[in-house]
């Protein structure tokens, strides 16, 4: 069965969300619609839709004009076994002592590594993306230097790969993983079970620190936040309120060109920059609470 994609860009979140809602009402209806911010500080948003029948090109042109979007780029996608394709492309990842892999690569786990099984078909954070890899590498270096936090939070946890890494090397630590998306929380809980770490960490649905359990467990010695530039900046004051003095935060989800703005927000909130690593176009920051 052929699949068609229709993609466009336009200015502003509200307009993009409204366009996405309008596309959902088309006939034939799309099987999926996505609205994403383009993280380059341009203010542009991308709206994409996928169809199993060829979409009405005239109606797409009308919608583009009505919402002041660029003309839709319409493509017919080749018939591909995407699960098999993803599995081929996502080879296991090594980040210091950690080895992140999918079940299809279980026979490749080295005996001298801490193995974390994360499936590529679930929420964000398989270890392959530069942001997740940067966080894992930063955490590995801290552990190597003797850092042993007693309380850890993973805010915006996705698959919970970062919280799982902490649970694997910090047997006595209290660890909480949270995400604003209920599906991500379900995925996180599944990954806890897959990795045999039941009872080692809690998974919560929450926006930022807005959950009684997160407030109760504070202050934290280590917080992971692998999200996006905007939410990271908004989190700076709450982060300062929930992190212990001399505690650390590992931040990512930001482009190299955005690292200075995020750093500045955390400096203003009472942190200092302890380390930074750029992996390709992505940055990972380690900030210390003063």
């Amino acid at each position: 069965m052929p699949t068609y994609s229709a993609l466009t860009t336009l200015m502003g979140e509200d307009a993009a969300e409204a366009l996405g809602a309008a596309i959902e009402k088309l006939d034939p209806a799309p099987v999926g619609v996505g609205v994403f911010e383009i993280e380059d500080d341009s203010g542009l948003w991308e709206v994409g839709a996928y169809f199993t029948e060829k979409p009405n090109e005239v109606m797409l042109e009308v919608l583009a004009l009505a919402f002041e979007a660029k003309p839709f780029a319409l493509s017919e996608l080749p018939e591909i076994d995407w699960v098999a394709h993803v599995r081929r492309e996502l080879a296991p990842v090594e980040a210091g002592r950690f080895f992140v892999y999918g079940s299809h690569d279980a026979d490749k786990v080295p005996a001298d590594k801490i193995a974390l099984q994360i499936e590529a078909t679930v929420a964000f954070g398989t270890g392959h993306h530069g942001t997740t890899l940067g966080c894992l590498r930063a955490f590995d270096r801290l552990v190597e230097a003797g850092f042993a936090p007693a309380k850890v939070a993973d805010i915006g946890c996705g698959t919970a790969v970062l919280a799982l890494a902490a649970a694997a090397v910090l047997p006595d630590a209290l660890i909480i993983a949270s995400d604003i998306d209920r599906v991500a929380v379900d995925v996180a809980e599944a990954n806890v079970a897959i990795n045999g770490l039941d009872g080692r960490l809690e998974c919560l649905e929450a926006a930022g620190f807005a959950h009684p359990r997160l407030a109760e467990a504070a202050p934290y010695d280590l917080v992971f936040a692998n999200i996006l530039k905007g939410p990271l900046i908004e989190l700076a004051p709450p982060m300062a309120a929930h992190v212990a003095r001399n505690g650390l935060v590992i931040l990512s989800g930001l482009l190299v060109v955005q690292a200075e703005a995020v750093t500045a927000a955390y400096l203003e909130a009472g942190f200092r920059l302890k380390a930074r690593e750029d992996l390709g176009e992505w940055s990972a920051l380690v900030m210390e609470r003063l």
Side-chain angles (χ1 to χ4, degrees):
M1 179 184 296
T3 300
Y4 300 87
S5 71
L7 301 173
T8 187
T9 57
L10 69 165
M11 295 295 296
E13 179 179 4
D14 291 343
E17 293 285 358
L19 176 55
I23 293 173
E24 290 179 350
K25 298 176 183 177
L26 289 178
D27 185 18
V31 293
V33 175
V35 179
F36 306 98
E37 183 180 10
I38 298 175
E39 285 290 312
D40 60 1
D41 293 324
S42 66
L44 281 172
W45 286 68
E46 180 181 85
V47 178
Y50 294 87
F51 302 80
T52 53
E53 298 178 57
K54 190 172 183 179
N56 186 322
E57 294 183 58
V58 173
M59 286 306 302
L60 288 175
E61 290 178 11
V62 170
L63 288 177
L65 288 170
F67 288 90
E68 298 183 353
K70 290 186 177 180
F72 278 90
L74 183 62
S75 303
E76 181 176 351
L77 304 178
E79 294 187 41
I80 295 174
D81 182 342
W82 289 105
V83 172
H85 176 75
V86 166
R87 287 181 170 179
R88 284 195 302 271
E89 292 296 316
L90 296 187
V93 168
E94 291 190 35
R97 73 198 64 214
F98 302 108
F99 185 87
V100 184
Y101 71 101
S103 58
H104 55 288
D105 284 319
D107 59 336
K108 299 177 182 177
V109 177
D112 61 343
K113 296 288 183 181
I114 295 172
L116 301 172
Q117 182 180 330
I118 304 292
E119 294 307 313
T121 53
V122 292
F124 179 81
T126 62
H128 298 79
H129 197 279
T131 60
T132 311
L133 178 60
C135 290
L136 284 171
R137 285 164 59 98
F139 178 56
D140 176 70
R141 287 191 292 270
L142 291 172
V143 173
E144 186 68 23
F147 182 55
K151 293 183 179 181
V152 180
D154 183 0
I155 304 297
C157 65
T159 61
V161 62
L162 301 174
L164 290 168
V169 298
L170 303 169
D172 300 319
L174 181 152
I175 302 169
I176 300 176
S178 68
D179 201 285
I180 196 171
D181 184 353
R182 181 67 240 178
V183 173
V185 176
D186 292 340
V187 166
E189 291 175 341
N191 282 327
V192 170
I194 287 171
N195 286 277
L197 291 169
D198 298 273
R200 285 292 303 112
L201 63 150
E202 304 171 48
C203 299
L204 308 173
E205 182 179 355
F209 290 95
H211 192 287
R213 178 58 180 143
L214 284 165
E216 172 193 328
Y220 297 94
D221 306 298
L222 174 65
V223 175
F224 296 104
N226 181 20
I227 39 181
L228 292 170
K229 173 196 170 186
L232 282 175
I233 290 176
E234 291 176 7
L235 268 177
M239 195 77 78
H242 289 84
V243 174
R245 190 170 299 277
N246 301 125
L248 302 179
V249 297
I250 298 177
L251 311 175
S252 196
L254 59 146
L255 296 164
V256 168
V257 295
Q258 300 170 335
E260 289 188 9
V262 173
T263 299
Y266 280 77
L267 292 176
E268 184 177 349
F271 291 82
R272 75 174 182 91
L273 180 63
K274 186 177 178 69
R276 169 179 169 175
E277 181 180 19
D278 297 339
L279 292 172
E281 61 182 338
W282 303 98
S283 279
L285 307 174
V286 180
M287 309 289 296
E288 181 180 8
R289 175 82 164 87
L290 299 176

